């Protein structure tokens, strides 16, 4: 199985900061990597598909980059509504796997 | 608009089985696969498997092969997941998610909370 390792586990930031979240795959997955946001007691929401492709309705401050084994989700000028958990997921092979998540919290 | 409406919370005893549902609306049910994902309290996401509602084909994460059974009813646009031989380790929120051939979940249900307790 492909293991996705997310770092850091927790990121404490002030609204207005810009941040980068990392997701590293145990083997190359090309660009078959997707990012989700999950707020407390809510379902995951798709933010970025195929490493860097934007999703309709998602604010432009969210962007993704990377390919192969190293991927980054960037948030330009974090807003209070952005706090929560972020997960990456690979669709390169079966079984599908998720990263352990990064918690974005208010400093 | 696309909606996935999951069935309500379940309370089950150890050793029992439960069957939860995910009713799809707003799109052609047979055009997308339905995936199921487990999330234990305060934990990450685990992929259980998927069903192709058009053909009934299923694929499971090996870890859940003897635990979960996925089915779908085209006439009611509803996907089901049955979990058997329940233990406390099965207590979790279970999500259904619409997934195209692309591999990402663009719409998710609200989740069904399963509590296994005697």
């Amino acid at each position: 199985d492909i293991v996705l390792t997310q770092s850091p586990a927790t990121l404490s930031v002030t609204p207005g900061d810009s941040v980068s979240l990392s997701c590293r795959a145990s083997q190359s997955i090309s660009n078959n990597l997707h990012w989700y946001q999950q707020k407390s007691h809510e379902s995951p929401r798709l933010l970025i598909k195929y490493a860097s492709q934007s999703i309709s309705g998602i604010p432009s401050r969210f962007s993704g980059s990377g390919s192969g084994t190293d991927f980054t989700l960037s948030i330009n000028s974090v807003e209070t509504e952005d706090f929560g958990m972020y997960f990456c997921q690979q669709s390169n092979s079966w079984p599908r796997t998720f990263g352990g998540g990064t918690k974005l919290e208010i400093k | 608009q696309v909606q996935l409406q999951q069935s309500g919370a379940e309370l089950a005893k150890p050793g029992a089985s439960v069957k939860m549902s995910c009713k799809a609306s707003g799109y052609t049910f047979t055009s997308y696969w339905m995936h199921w994902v487990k999330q234990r309290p305060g934990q990450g996401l685990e992929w259980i498997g998927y069903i192709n509602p058009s053909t009934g084909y299923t694929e499971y994460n090996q870890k859940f092969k003897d635990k979960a059974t996925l089915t779908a009813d085209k006439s009611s646009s509803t996907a089901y997941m049955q979990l058997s031989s329940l233990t406390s380790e099965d207590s979790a929120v279970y999500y259904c998610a619409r997934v195209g051939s692309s591999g990402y979940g663009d719409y998710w249900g609200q989740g069904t909370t399963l509590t296994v307790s005697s």
Side-chain angles (χ1 to χ4, degrees):
Chain A
D1 297 4
I2 293 175
V3 176
L4 298 178
T5 302
Q6 291 188 243
S7 61
T10 304
L11 197 50
S12 299
V13 302
T14 301
D17 288 348
S18 292
V19 299
S20 293
L21 286 62
S22 172
C23 177
R24 178 164 291 176
S26 59
Q27 63 190 75
S28 178
I29 56 172
S30 186
N31 68 337
N32 297 307
L33 189 284
H34 319 291
W35 289 95
Y36 300 88
Q37 177 194 63
Q38 186 180 33
K39 297 181 183 179
S40 184
H41 303 295
E42 294 185 6
S43 306
R45 177 175 72 148
L46 181 67
L47 291 179
I48 297 287
K49 62 181 181 181
Y50 293 115
S52 62
Q53 296 180 18
S54 60
I55 300 296
S56 176
I58 299 301
S60 59
R61 62 182 179 274
F62 291 95
S63 63
S65 63
S67 67
T69 60
D70 290 307
F71 302 88
T72 301
L73 174 70
S74 299
I75 310 175
N76 182 26
S77 189
V78 172
E79 298 192 6
T80 54
E81 66 187 38
D82 299 336
F83 292 98
M85 290 294 297
Y86 290 81
F87 296 98
C88 54
Q89 176 241 321
Q90 63 83 19
S91 62
N92 191 73
S93 62
W94 304 97
R96 302 310 196 212
T97 50
F98 293 87
T102 290
K103 181 179 181 181
L104 187 65
E105 63 178 27
I106 300 175
K107 184 182 288 185
Chain B
Q1 70 284 21
V2 174
Q3 287 190 327
L4 300 178
Q5 183 64 40
Q6 296 189 239
S7 49
E10 299 268 9
L11 174 62
K13 294 190 184 308
S17 296
V18 296
K19 189 173 185 178
M20 58 187 69
S21 65
C22 171
K23 183 172 177 57
S25 61
Y27 72 98
T28 302
F29 181 59
T30 51
S31 295
Y32 293 82
W33 301 347
M34 194 68 77
H35 289 228
W36 292 83
V37 174
K38 176 182 180 180
Q39 186 171 38
R40 298 204 69 198
Q43 302 297 310
L45 302 164
E46 279 189 285
W47 180 75
I48 296 171
Y50 81 88
I51 184 166
N52 179 341
S54 179
T55 64
Y57 177 82
T58 55
E59 182 113 16
Y60 295 92
N61 184 336
Q62 191 69 22
K63 178 179 178 180
F64 294 94
K65 210 165 179 61
D66 297 325
K67 173 63 64 177
T69 302
L70 305 181
T71 57
D73 178 2
K74 289 186 281 189
S75 67
S76 62
S77 298
T78 303
Y80 299 92
M81 179 172 68
Q82 178 165 318
L83 299 173
S84 61
S85 303
L86 294 172
T87 71
S88 59
E89 297 294 303
D90 298 316
S91 294
V93 177
Y94 292 88
Y95 294 101
C96 58
R98 187 185 86 158
V99 179
S101 56
S102 51
Y104 54 83
D106 57 356
Y107 288 92
W108 293 63
Q110 83 276 21
T112 293
T113 300
L114 171 63
T115 303
V116 180
S117 173
S118 56

